[in-house]
Amino acid sequence: MTFVLAFSGSRGDVQPAVALGAALARAGHAVRLAVPPNLVEFGRGAGLETHPFGPDTGALLGSELVGRQLKSANPRTRLRAIAELTLRDGRRTQRELAALADGADVLIGGSAGQERALNVATALGIPYLPVHYCPLRRNGVVSLLPAAWLPAGVHRASWAGLEQLLWLGIRGAERTLAADLDLPAPVGPAAGRIARTGVPEIQAYDPLLFPGLTAEWGAARPLTGFLGLAPETRALVDPGTGDDGLDAWLAAGPAPLYVGFGSMKVADPAEFARTLAVVTAELGLRVLVVSGWGGLVAAEFAAHGDRIRVLRSVDHAAVLPRCVALVHHGGAGTVAAGLRAGRPALVCWHGADQPLWGRRLRALGAGTAIPVAGLTPQRLQSALVEVLRPERAAAAERAAAALIPPAAAAERAVRIAERVAEAAIRRSRGDAVQAGTLSVVVPAYNEEEVIGECLDRLTAQLGAITEIVVVDNNSTDKTADIVRGYAERFPQVVLVREAAQGLVHARNRGLDAATGALLARIDADTRIPEHWARTVVEFFAADTAGHWAAACGRGEAYGLPYGDRLGRAKKRLRERDPNGVKQVPVLYGSNMVLRAETWAAIRASVAMRRDVFEDVDMGLCVTEIGGRNAFLNNLTVGVAPRRMETGLPAFVRYMACLPRTLLLHRRWGLAAGAAFVYVPSIVVLHAARLLLIRAYDRRTGTYGLRNMLRSTEDRPAP
């Protein structure tokens, strides 16, 4: 597989890309790295094929546009500066990136310049796989506002507001740049357009800092952990200390305070140097100043002798564990490095995502944060006293032990990239995505007793089914072995694995991997009847206007004592309108199908919670994008009666998911009707049904009170 990684920004933005690129190369893939001209040697030093693209970061940060207009207190001035930057550098960036990405399977890019990468990937017909270093999409966990206690709806609104504000500022430039690549004019923020592609968005930071975010975003935006350089890669790119005496200096006295601001410019380096020198002298601290691009120079500290050491750069992995604490700007990379070293930090933030990281360190108990603007000796000293408290160091050490290791984070990101490339390659192979191609997705967890019959029925209809994707969700029985046996006989059978436990994760994995224009989803114990697949394909083939976005049919439980009589009665009712179609708000999980573009449009919106009906949620997501769900009278499958045999308390808890799902989608009237009318009625019906089922002995075909006393395990399977 061939991956192009395009990352703009400073070294802190590019270093995680180098870590990911090196991991992809170790996995045997071809990697091309595109970075700003001033960071090309950094990429090449890691042994990666590296090309320049876009503007030089150092020159850009030092420009009038960034230095003054982008930092203006006037929002309109800032928006005009963003629009000017977008158009000024966008044409060249797109042109250079299009040449570099030609022939790639996947284009991977960071959040800086995401619109350029999305345009190029769309023009080339390949997936764009985003990598984010902090939360950037709407969610109810993390807010742009410094008030974690606010309701989740306010958090989401803050992100939506930012998206729209930025879009209003750059939409003219974006439409011009899209036209340069012969693309249709974009109609909304990039966040929504990226989500509609259905490609996951890698979150390259640790879930420890954002509890609850994994549960909300799930597989759509997986949190992989911070991407750090592997030891062998670090050995190649380590710039050295620039001073052979650093090791001796570190060993000669107490652990120093690390001070560094990366690529951030210090407004008044001389004043900051005086403030830092006075405060650290009063606290009795030695100081290691890493000047970076911030403008701090050794001459400003010359009067303080050997107590303050100034270097251009250091190896964070080697040096930070030997420091007592950190003072830095709050970039994601430095936050990660400090936490991995187990050291508390004072974030002196400038802007962007830096206040967010400061708040997260404070929430962990591993640091605090203050704005660098208006910094006084008193404020700095107070903050340092807080950071140097023993409990802050203890919290940082606990965090270090809980972080996802860099190797594991890189492995997770590599697996995601490979899955995206695999799906793209399979789609392109032989024009797989043609109108009428049908992929059937079967999530499976310990289904060895039923998966064989399910696959027998599916493979018998391979004339209409073009692909069968079975998702092994960590089965501990022979499920995966059985599926492999079918895959050896039928190349249309594909086995994939989803490590995240749960139906929603397995479902998403399968739908993402499927290559058909139509994506069906059934359960492993579903028994499809003859002509089921042909019915699906013919229905959508006849819908030439694209009126229907998704479809479903009913499920009839097999193996019930009254099943034959009830089935015949229902069949007579259906025969009154055998080919009837009606619009419904929801879908039925054991017997449903979506257009591939429908799944792409709702992929980022489906809930990843276990306390809702996932199929009802999907159906409502379809209606919320303006799609229509069809219910087909002639599309009926057999389903196992496992849910019907559930005990009454468990069944009540299960049915409570329905009003909860409707509330999630703000269907207040439907939720009230479900809670006070439908659910109570179904519970009463279930109680009566349960008596019949438990009293029945399938082996003898008789009813009896003694049968009701047997455990579920003693009852024969249908």
Side-chain angles (χ1 to χ4, degrees):
M1 300 174 182
T2 300
F3 297 92
V4 169
L5 284 73
F7 285 74
S8 301
S10 65
R11 171 165 170 165
D13 298 299
V14 170
Q15 183 161 305
V18 170
L20 177 56
L24 286 165
R26 287 194 298 272
H29 303 297
V31 175
R32 295 197 293 271
L33 182 65
V35 298
N38 54 301
L39 292 167
V40 169
E41 292 308 314
F42 172 57
R44 290 175 180 169
L48 298 175
E49 178 188 335
T50 308
H51 303 269
F53 93 118
D56 181 289
T57 310
L60 183 64
L61 292 176
S63 67
E64 166 77 11
L65 194 61
V66 173
R68 296 189 60 181
Q69 295 184 42
L70 204 57
K71 296 180 180 179
S72 168
N74 188 326
R76 291 186 177 181
T77 301
R78 292 201 299 272
L79 284 175
R80 282 196 297 269
I82 292 172
E84 184 177 339
L85 278 174
T86 299
L87 195 56
R88 188 188 74 180
D89 298 321
R91 282 195 169 100
R92 180 173 59 125
T93 300
Q94 284 188 169
R95 184 174 62 252
E96 293 171 345
L97 184 55
L100 290 172
D102 189 24
D105 296 310
V106 177
L107 174 57
I108 304 175
S111 53
Q114 63 179 354
E115 294 86 358
R116 307 287 67 73
L118 177 62
N119 279 357
V120 169
T122 303
L124 295 176
I126 61 175
Y128 166 52
L129 175 60
V131 177
H132 297 163
Y133 299 152
C134 69
L136 292 173
R137 301 296 189 235
R138 301 181 194 185
N139 69 89
V141 176
V142 186
S143 180
L144 290 169
L145 308 173
W149 49 267
L150 289 170
V154 176
H155 296 335
R156 294 190 181 92
S158 69
W159 291 107
L162 177 62
E163 286 176 10
Q164 291 300 323
L165 183 64
L166 290 175
W167 170 244
L168 290 174
I170 65 173
R171 59 184 175 181
E174 286 300 328
R175 288 166 181 167
T176 299
L177 292 169
D180 283 351
L181 294 177
D182 296 324
L183 296 174
V187 294
R193 287 180 278 136
I194 291 170
R196 286 191 290 274
T197 67
V199 174
E201 299 175 66
I202 293 174
Q203 308 300 303
Y205 46 90
D206 204 284
L208 175 71
L209 284 97
F210 301 99
L213 201 54
T214 294
E216 177 162 345
W217 278 348
R221 299 188 181 102
L223 276 67
T224 61
F226 292 108
L227 293 173
L229 296 175
E232 58 270 32
T233 306
R234 184 173 295 280
L236 293 172
V237 302
D238 177 16
T241 64
D243 185 336
D244 292 337
L246 177 59
D247 186 70
W249 182 82
L250 289 169
L257 179 72
Y258 169 98
V259 178
F261 294 98
S263 61
M264 294 291 102
K265 299 286 186 181
V266 177
D268 188 341
E271 178 59 27
F272 179 82
R274 285 192 293 271
T275 298
L276 180 65
V278 169
V279 169
T280 54
E282 290 185 7
L283 295 175
L285 293 171
R286 297 201 304 159
V287 185
L288 174 61
V289 176
V290 179
S291 59
W293 296 356
L296 296 173
V297 295
E300 302 289 352
F301 301 96
H304 303 279
D306 205 36
R307 185 177 69 86
I308 300 179
R309 194 71 162 223
V310 182
L311 298 173
R312 171 71 176 177
S313 61
V314 297
D315 178 359
H316 280 166
V319 172
L320 294 187
R322 303 176 68 178
C323 297
V324 66
L326 288 70
V327 176
H328 61 83
H329 59 299
T334 314
V335 168
L339 286 176
R340 290 205 191 285
R343 296 296 178 261
L346 166 60
V347 170
C348 292
W349 53 266
H350 295 67
D353 61 327
Q354 297 164 10
L356 170 65
W357 288 114
R359 292 196 294 271
R360 298 319 305 162
L361 287 176
R362 185 183 292 126
L364 277 179
T368 189
I370 55 177
V372 73
L375 187 66
T376 64
Q378 294 76 19
R379 293 183 66 196
L380 179 60
Q381 182 165 342
S382 176
L384 282 176
V385 168
E386 173 66 23
V387 166
L388 292 170
R389 290 167 54 190
E391 53 265 41
R392 298 288 170 256
E397 289 172 359
R398 289 194 299 271
L403 290 178
I404 296 170
E411 175 69 14
R412 292 181 182 188
V414 166
R415 295 285 83 81
I416 294 168
E418 288 175 335
R419 289 201 296 266
V420 171
E422 173 188 290
I425 292 169
R426 288 166 56 202
R427 282 192 176 95
S428 65
R429 196 164 48 218
D431 295 325
V433 185
Q434 298 173 355
T437 54
L438 173 63
S439 295
V440 182
V441 173
V442 187
Y445 172 68
N446 288 347
E447 303 285 4
E448 65 179 6
E449 294 183 359
V450 294
I451 192 65
E453 179 169 1
C454 177
L455 291 176
D456 284 339
R457 290 172 178 265
L458 289 171
T459 53
Q461 299 187 34
L462 283 176
I465 296 172
T466 52
E467 179 184 53
I468 302 165
V469 181
V470 181
V471 185
D472 175 27
N473 197 203
N474 305 306
S475 297
T476 57
D477 63 1
K478 297 180 180 178
T479 297
D481 293 333
I482 293 171
V483 178
R484 290 189 191 97
Y486 278 85
E488 290 176 1
R489 291 186 286 139
F490 302 99
Q492 298 91 340
V493 175
V494 178
L495 175 65
V496 298
R497 184 176 180 275
E498 175 52 54
Q501 194 66 46
L503 174 59
V504 288
H505 298 292
R507 175 203 67 192
N508 286 11
R509 173 74 175 95
L511 292 173
D512 289 344
T515 62
L518 303 174
L519 309 178
R521 203 273 279 176
I522 65 172
D523 292 329
D525 55 14
T526 298
R527 297 177 179 177
I528 65 167
E530 189 178 5
H531 306 312
W532 174 84
R534 190 174 69 187
T535 300
V536 168
V537 172
E538 289 179 350
F539 171 76
F540 281 97
D543 182 28
T544 55
H547 182 78
W548 300 107
C552 65
R554 61 176 46 84
E556 298 287 359
Y558 50 78
L560 293 176
Y562 49 81
D564 291 342
R565 287 188 292 274
L566 185 62
R568 286 194 294 270
K570 289 182 176 179
K571 184 178 180 182
R572 284 195 294 272
L573 289 174
R574 290 197 299 271
E575 286 174 349
R576 295 179 181 178
D577 188 13
N579 296 313
V581 179
K582 63 180 179 180
Q583 183 172 337
V584 291
V586 300
L587 295 169
Y588 177 55
S590 297
N591 185 17
M592 60 182 285
V593 58
L594 305 91
R595 296 183 187 273
E597 57 266 30
T598 301
W599 171 241
I602 69 171
R603 175 64 168 76
S605 303
V606 293
M608 302 302 294
R609 296 165 49 173
R610 293 193 175 195
D611 61 346
V612 300
F613 282 162
E614 55 87 23
D615 48 358
V616 173
D617 170 67
M618 286 182 71
L620 293 173
C621 284
V622 172
T623 65
E624 286 164 6
I625 63 167
R628 298 179 178 87
N629 302 313
F631 182 88
L632 311 184
N633 275 351
N634 60 350
L635 195 68
T636 301
V637 301
V639 296
R642 288 187 279 189
R643 181 59 62 189
M644 297 181 180
E645 296 176 342
T646 304
L648 198 58
F651 187 78
V652 171
R653 290 193 297 272
Y654 168 74
M655 288 305 302
C657 294
L658 178 58
R660 189 178 298 117
T661 308
L662 295 169
L663 287 173
L664 183 66
H665 289 268
R666 297 178 174 82
R667 304 297 181 95
W668 315 117
L670 288 176
F676 297 112
V677 180
Y678 180 75
V679 171
S681 302
I682 290 296
V683 169
V684 172
L685 176 62
H686 178 72
R689 182 175 59 193
L690 196 59
L691 289 175
L692 285 174
I693 292 173
R694 291 193 171 180
Y696 185 70
D697 188 335
R698 294 189 184 95
R699 289 172 294 197
T700 63
T702 61
Y703 289 91
L705 291 177
R706 285 190 302 175
N707 295 332
M708 298 179 64
L709 303 178
R710 293 181 300 167
S711 68
T712 302
E713 289 76 13
D714 293 334
R715 297 190 183 96

